Amino acid sequence: MSDSIQTIQVCTSPAYTVSIGPGLLRICGQRLRDVLGTCHVAVITDSTVAPLYLGVVTGSLQTAGFAVSSYVFPTGEARKNFDTLSGILEFLAEERLTRTDCVVALGGGVTGDMAGFAAAVYLRGIRCVQLPTTLLSAVDSSVGGKTAIDLKAGKNLAGAFLQPAAVLCDTDCLRSLPPDVFADGAAEAIKTGVLSDEGLFSLFEDGTLTAAPGEVIARCVAYKAGVVERDEKEQNERRLLNLGHTVGHAIEKCSGYAIPHGHAVAAGLAVIARSAEKLGWTESPIADRIAACLAKNGLPTGTEYPAEVLAHAASADKKRTGGDITLVIPRRMGACTLKKMPVSELLPVIAAGLEG
Ligand code: GLY
């Protein structure tokens, strides 16, 4: 089985390995013992993932000699808040985890963000392992050490950087994903193709993503690993990974987080591509190709929210510095650029990208 497991090194501080392949949850205990030594691990997961995978994960960890506690919170982006974070932190304290122990995030992006944030602040920081079970967390959020919760003012506004001690991505989990949850991850993967590589982008046009998701995840992770190694704390190049996210986060916020992250990012990507083309910022037309690819993967290519509402919501985005905001602009397939502009100029940019 290990022949089919691919590994990617992420050379940050600390450095860690992302393993991608089938059957990893069943053998997570032995894999993690090599990385962590035996210690007390707290598995944090949500009410959707717990019935599917919590048993196999705790069983594997216990067999490998770990002391295991587990905490389950209700599923959903609306739970990515201080109340849930506080519940996790109180649990870690009640279970008496110490500085040599470890949090294990089992689930999608919400779980990875919140469990990672809890690990980053509990006892001023303990180790965290990411076990992504969705395509979105596999291709993006489990790698790179961003952790956060949402505030009333906007998404991911309180958080910390904590690189994981390891990431184990079991591709068997993707089989249990409902189509719209799979599509959510496809949005972040398509974003990676637009950013990095026309060849990768074409895999979302020809159906390779569904046929061989492990290959696609490995290519997305390898690209992200390079970016994160060069700019761990998002001072410069890493900001490119926010392609589609300024409008995407605004859409999520306007919907009260009813529109899932990937769907909102897809719409945000389509909007910024259309707007970049209309405003003459692209070298060749790409907006129609991006929209067709998003639609083929079950994703939206626009939004019902008016430009004024989106621009207002985006003005609280954390990508703002003083009175400016930095947008990620696609120039051609596989190449994007950062464009800083006054927040006051956001409205016409968003308006240019809306359909109709
Ligand atoms: N999801 C974007 C990043 O990790 O920087």
Side-chain angles (χ1 to χ4, degrees), residues 58-149:
T58 53
S60 177
L61 290 165
Q62 279 160 347
T63 304
F66 289 96
V68 184
S69 308
S70 58
Y71 183 88
V72 181
F73 64 91
T75 301
E77 181 78 33
R79 305 290 181 154
K80 206 173 99 176
N81 56 28
F82 262 118
D83 288 346
T84 314
L85 177 69
S86 157
I88 295 171
L89 290 171
E90 294 293 350
F91 173 77
L92 298 178
E94 276 160 24
E95 294 294 306
R96 305 226 186 287
L97 267 80
T98 68
R99 286 210 166 115
T100 51
D101 295 327
C102 185
V103 167
V104 174
L106 171 67
V110 169
T111 301
D113 269 9
M114 270 200 314
F117 191 21
V121 296
Y122 179 68
L123 302 181
R124 299 199 178 91
I126 67 171
R127 295 174 295 178
C128 180
V129 163
Q130 296 280 346
L131 305 183
T133 60
T134 63
L135 183 60
L136 188 144
S137 54
V139 295
D140 187 56
S141 59
S142 65
V143 177
K146 274 190 183 175
T147 74
I149 56 168

Side-chain angles (χ1 to χ4, degrees), residues 22-56:
L24 278 165
L25 291 187
R26 268 190 292 111
I27 58 167
C28 68
Q30 75 195 59
R31 287 240 161 191
L32 292 180
R33 194 177 47 205
D34 294 343
V35 178
L36 304 171
T38 48
C39 62
H40 187 170
V41 292
V43 183
I44 311 297
T45 192
D46 70 21
S47 53
T48 302
V49 172
L52 296 172
Y53 305 122
L54 184 56
V56 72

